[in-house]
Amino acid sequence: MTDVFGWVRPFATGLLPVRLERLLQEAGLLAASEGLLRSRLRVGRVGDILFAHSAPGAAGDAAVFLGPDSHRFARFLRQTLEGAPVARRALDIGVGAGAGGLTLLSCGFAEHVVGSDVNPDALRLARLNAAHAGLSLHTRLGSGPPGAPEIFDLIVANPPFIAGASGVTYRDGGDLHGAALALDWMRAGVDRLTPGGRFILYTGAPVVEGEDVVRTALEELVRRRGLTLSYEEIDPDIFSSSLRSPAYRDVERIAAVGAVIKG
């Protein structure tokens, strides 16, 4: 099983239990590979939960990503929310395979969690991952926070933050060297918070001439809205290979950061 769903290695028909192989075939989750089969799904662990997500090479917007940032995101949530009051209603924007939302549920940080995403495949996998973990995750199709009148005690997000138009929704963060989407979600999200509610953001922050673009924008947001901000640089240098792209010609580094805005 580790070779098939962990390392996604080619395997011969008959290696898996007959019923499992048949179900995977019927769901279109097995691909032919030089006379062998290869799983279109990969299974990884974040914390104590197993997550099915896309295998390497999945095409475009059909891909559902889970990787190192998912682990850092979940760890930041656990660090930030340990000992905090339990949220009655929480939202995970861009839920993907469900790393954020299921961390909230499994750790008892929230009673009711909604996961939103523009990718129907992501929502399907998030629901399946929740069911396998014995958790109840509610999903919504769409980008950013749901519109009024829905409000939440807690909103979390790990948005795409890579600059340049790759054509992959889970990767592209828009303008401002990839920071625009994170900032758009944060600006919209603070309007969906209950009084005293919190928005927890994990993202990549481009640093230009020594200035953290995300931190500067969030400091301006909290100043104008009368909110409070705590901010942490989690890793000073991630995705360094992306700096070769023309979209990063004036960027010194990309830092992994965690921000908490409180209403």
Side-chain angles (χ1 to χ4, degrees):
M1 290 293 185
T2 299
D3 284 347
V4 173
F5 297 109
W7 296 107
V8 198
R9 291 173 175 159
F11 63 96
T13 297
L15 177 67
L16 295 178
V18 173
R19 183 170 181 270
L20 175 58
E21 184 175 318
R22 176 173 56 79
L23 290 172
L24 289 169
Q25 287 279 21
E26 290 174 356
L29 295 177
L30 294 179
S33 176
E34 299 180 356
L36 299 174
L37 299 173
R38 189 189 296 270
S39 174
R40 297 182 188 274
L41 282 184
R42 192 173 194 176
V43 178
R45 185 182 296 276
V46 178
D48 296 327
I49 303 175
L50 290 175
F51 289 87
H53 60 102
S54 296
D61 283 348
V64 182
F65 177 75
L66 189 88
D69 281 310
S70 307
H71 290 268
R72 285 189 284 250
F73 178 39
R75 187 165 60 246
F76 184 61
L77 292 177
R78 292 192 295 267
Q79 168 193 314
T80 303
L81 293 170
E82 186 65 39
V86 176
R88 292 185 59 192
R89 285 180 55 81
L91 169 68
D92 180 3
I93 307 175
V95 67
L102 299 192
T103 295
L104 298 182
L105 288 166
S106 66
C107 293
F109 296 143
E111 296 175 0
H112 178 99
V113 178
V114 175
S116 68
D117 207 290
V118 295
N119 183 355
D121 292 329
L123 297 180
R124 179 172 61 89
L125 281 180
R127 289 192 297 268
L128 289 171
N129 291 333
H132 182 267
L135 301 169
S136 179
L137 177 73
H138 305 266
T139 58
R140 303 282 175 81
L141 181 64
S143 177
E150 275 197 286
I151 57 174
F152 302 89
D153 308 301
L154 174 65
I155 300 177
V156 303
N158 171 19
F161 57 77
I162 299 299
S166 71
V168 182
T169 300
Y170 76 75
R171 179 178 172 86
D172 296 343
D175 296 332
L176 295 177
H177 306 293
L181 186 63
L183 296 173
D184 286 346
W185 284 5
M186 185 67 96
R187 292 185 188 105
V190 295
D191 290 333
R192 301 274 75 80
L193 287 173
T194 58
R198 287 191 285 184
F199 193 131
I200 301 176
L201 173 73
Y202 168 88
T203 192
V207 178
V208 181
E209 296 184 353
E211 179 186 8
D212 178 331
V213 172
V214 172
R215 182 168 197 154
T216 297
L218 293 183
E219 287 175 343
E220 173 63 16
L221 172 64
V222 300
R223 184 191 65 78
R224 287 188 287 103
R225 300 284 190 96
L227 307 170
T228 62
L229 169 70
S230 62
Y231 196 90
E232 174 184 348
E233 187 173 282
I234 296 169
D235 190 319
D237 186 13
I238 60 172
F239 290 91
S240 56
S241 62
S242 296
L243 299 181
R244 301 189 190 102
S245 165
Y248 287 102
R249 64 174 59 89
D250 55 345
V251 175
E252 298 159 15
R253 59 188 175 91
I254 305 169
V257 300
V260 182
I261 286 185
K262 187 173 182 180

